[in-house]
């Protein structure tokens, strides 16, 4: 009728059938609960839509689900590779986890470490980089693994030195289980479709889906607060639907200050309170000693657990290497400082 090319079979299954029959489908334009004409028609002819409610389960079903989850708790637990934190904080699949930090505090750098740690555990991850393009991410990964400065890296590429081969080999080894996405205008539906394609192709989904960062994800809402709340809620749904962990990077309001200011409450997240409610765990990141005029003291990082549905809260002081983003334990004298 319209002269358009027909959908391919893959497109039909992924974009149409997979979307319509998903647990998050709301009926769209033709919902009998929202479309005015359908509502009038149902009322006029006294029609009933009988549908089995599969969302309600009994306690026995819950017991079976929990038993399976508990037996496989080791494989359902996500270790971030952050000293002390992994011992005190249990992050599992089906969770939305938020990492809150000021701009330039190191959220992306910490993310690279998390992806690296999971890859070395032979666990798959997806990294949706909406803030930095592929060249910048690749440079940051090289810096993290080698400690080479940006100028040194560029010089090696300009002169085509043997060091380039070392970069490529090292990155392939350290991030072999990570898939990257740099698509502009990314939506939550795009993320869901990527997971569906992965499940169809390999029979499994990644243990971690990392989104950098919330404000860059598009939605149908023009109001920023409403949009961010919607995206956070949908990402929580994706974590539940695919039994994966979604790590979402978020920013505080500008009044919270620069990276040196410690963030002690999840209410400091910029945007809708829906974000705070949707997350099972919220971690904040700050850098005591951060000073653009004097970087000599910028060698510490503090992670604070400000929300944890399944355990206690707490703060962790660790060492920080700005160039490589490496995080480690503090010695006694460093703790005193």
């Amino acid at each position: 009728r319209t002269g358009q090319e027909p959908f391919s079979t893959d497109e039909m299954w992924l974009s149409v059938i997979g979307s319509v029959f998903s647990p998050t489908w709301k009926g769209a334009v033709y919902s009998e609960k929202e479309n005015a004409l359908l509502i009038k028609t149902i009322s006029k002819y006294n029609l009933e839509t009988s549908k089995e409610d599969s969302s309600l389960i009994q306690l026995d079903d819950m017991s079976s689900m929990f038993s399976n989850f508990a037996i496989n708790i080791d494989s359902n637990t996500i270790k971030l590779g952050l000293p002390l934190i992994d011992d005190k904080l249990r992050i599992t699949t089906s969770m939305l986890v938020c990492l809150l930090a000021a701009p330039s505090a190191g959220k992306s750098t910490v993310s690279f470490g998390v992806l690296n740690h999971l890859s070395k555990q032979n666990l798959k991850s997806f990294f949706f980089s909406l803030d930095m393009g592929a060249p910048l991410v690749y440079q940051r990964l090289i810096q993290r693994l080698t400690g080479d400065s940006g100028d040194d890296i560029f010089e090696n590429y300009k002169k085509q030195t043997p060091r380039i081969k070392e970069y490529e080999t090292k990155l392939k080894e350290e991030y072999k289980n990570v898939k990257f996405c740099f698509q502009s205008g990314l939506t939550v539906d795009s993320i869901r479709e990527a997971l569906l394609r992965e499940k169809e192709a390999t029979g499994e989904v990644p243990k971690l889906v990392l989104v950098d960062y919330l404000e860059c994800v598009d939605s149908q809402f023009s109001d920023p607060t409403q949009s961010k709340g919607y995206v956070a809620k949908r990402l929580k749904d994706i974590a539940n639907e695919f039994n994966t962990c979604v790590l979402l990077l978020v920013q505080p309001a500008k009044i919270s200050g620069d990276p040196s200011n410690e963030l002690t409450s999840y209410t400091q997240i910029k945007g809708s309170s829906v974000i705070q409610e949707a997350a099972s765990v919220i971690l904040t990141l700050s850098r005591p000693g951060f000073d653009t005029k004097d970087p000599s003291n910028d060698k510490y990082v503090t992670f604070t657990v400000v929300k944890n549905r399944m355990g206690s809260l707490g703060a962790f002081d660790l060492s920080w290497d700005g160039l490589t983003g490496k995080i480690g334990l503090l010695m006694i004298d460093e703790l005193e400082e």
Side-chain angles (χ1 to χ4, degrees), residues 283-329:
L283 281 165
T284 73
L285 162 67
S286 56
R287 303 237 300 273
F290 175 91
D291 186 345
T292 54
K293 294 182 179 180
D294 180 17
S296 60
N297 290 321
D298 186 17
K299 51 190 178 181
Y300 307 111
V301 61
T302 296
F303 289 94
T304 307
V305 183
V306 293
K307 180 179 180 180
N308 182 11
R309 281 197 178 131
M310 308 305 291
S312 60
L313 309 180
F316 306 91
D317 298 316
L318 300 162
S319 66
W320 169 266
D321 182 349
L323 179 61
T324 63
K326 296 290 178 64
I327 296 170
L329 298 173

Side-chain angles (χ1 to χ4, degrees), residues 94-262:
S94 298
M95 277 188 180
L96 172 64
V97 178
C98 289
L99 177 59
L100 168 65
S104 301
K107 295 187 294 295
S108 298
T109 302
V110 170
S111 299
F112 299 148
V114 172
L115 294 169
N116 181 216
H117 179 75
L118 288 179
S119 183
K120 289 194 289 188
Q121 307 304 310
N122 216 26
L123 299 175
K124 291 182 179 180
S125 301
F126 279 4
F127 179 46
F128 293 91
S129 180
L130 314 180
D131 187 33
M132 293 186 292
L136 292 178
V137 169
Y138 200 79
Q139 177 190 337
R140 295 280 292 276
L141 293 178
I142 292 174
Q143 286 179 292
R144 184 181 186 279
L145 294 176
T146 66
D148 288 359
S149 67
D151 288 339
D152 289 339
I153 294 169
F154 296 142
E155 194 66 23
N156 284 323
Y157 272 89
K158 284 193 290 186
K159 293 182 178 179
Q160 288 294 292
T161 68
R163 185 75 166 151
I164 296 174
K165 188 64 176 176
E166 295 178 30
Y167 294 154
E168 294 173 350
T169 302
K170 189 73 172 172
L171 260 63
K172 285 180 181 178
E173 177 186 341
E174 296 288 326
Y175 290 91
K176 63 182 178 181
N177 292 304
V178 183
K179 290 186 177 180
F180 299 84
C181 177
F182 301 95
Q183 176 185 333
S184 60
L186 192 78
T187 64
V188 179
D189 288 332
S190 303
I191 294 173
R192 185 176 179 277
E193 286 169 12
L195 290 169
L196 281 172
R197 286 193 296 270
E198 182 71 12
K199 187 173 184 179
E200 185 176 276
T202 66
E204 58 182 10
V205 293
K207 282 289 185 183
L208 180 75
V209 175
L210 204 155
V211 181
D212 183 10
Y213 60 101
L214 172 61
E215 294 191 51
C216 296
V217 183
D218 283 350
S219 79
Q220 70 268 40
F221 300 105
S222 57
D223 178 71
T225 300
Q226 190 176 8
S227 177
K228 284 182 279 192
Y230 169 81
V231 169
K233 191 170 181 296
R234 286 293 313 280
L235 287 174
K236 175 189 175 183
D237 291 340
I238 285 177
N240 284 325
E241 180 184 353
F242 291 95
N243 192 33
T244 186
C245 177
V246 177
L247 177 57
L248 176 63
L249 308 190
V250 294
Q251 292 190 353
K254 292 180 180 178
I255 197 173
S256 297
D258 64 25
S260 66
N261 293 99
E262 189 169 356

Side-chain angles (χ1 to χ4, degrees), residues 36-136:
L37 177 59
L38 291 178
I39 292 171
K40 285 183 179 180
T41 305
I42 291 169
S43 175
K44 180 177 179 179
Y45 294 102
N46 195 27
L47 302 177
E48 291 184 3
T49 54
S50 59
K51 192 183 294 182
E52 183 181 350
D53 188 354
S54 59
S55 64
L56 299 177
I57 62 173
Q58 295 183 332
L59 195 60
D60 287 345
D61 299 317
M62 287 177 59
S63 175
S64 176
M65 292 166 63
F66 177 74
S67 177
N68 181 62
F69 179 80
I71 289 170
N72 298 288
I73 189 61
D74 291 338
S75 62
N76 287 323
T77 298
I78 308 296
K79 298 289 187 181
L80 303 178
L82 297 172
L84 297 179
I85 299 177
D86 284 333
D87 294 333
K88 300 291 178 70
L89 176 67
R90 185 183 293 279
I91 293 174
T92 69
T93 53
S94 298
M95 277 188 180
L96 172 64
V97 178
C98 289
L99 177 59
L100 168 65
S104 301
K107 295 187 294 295
S108 298
T109 302
V110 170
S111 299
F112 299 148
V114 172
L115 294 169
N116 181 216
H117 179 75
L118 288 179
S119 183
K120 289 194 289 188
Q121 307 304 310
N122 216 26
L123 299 175
K124 291 182 179 180
S125 301
F126 279 4
F127 179 46
F128 293 91
S129 180
L130 314 180
D131 187 33
M132 293 186 292
L136 292 178

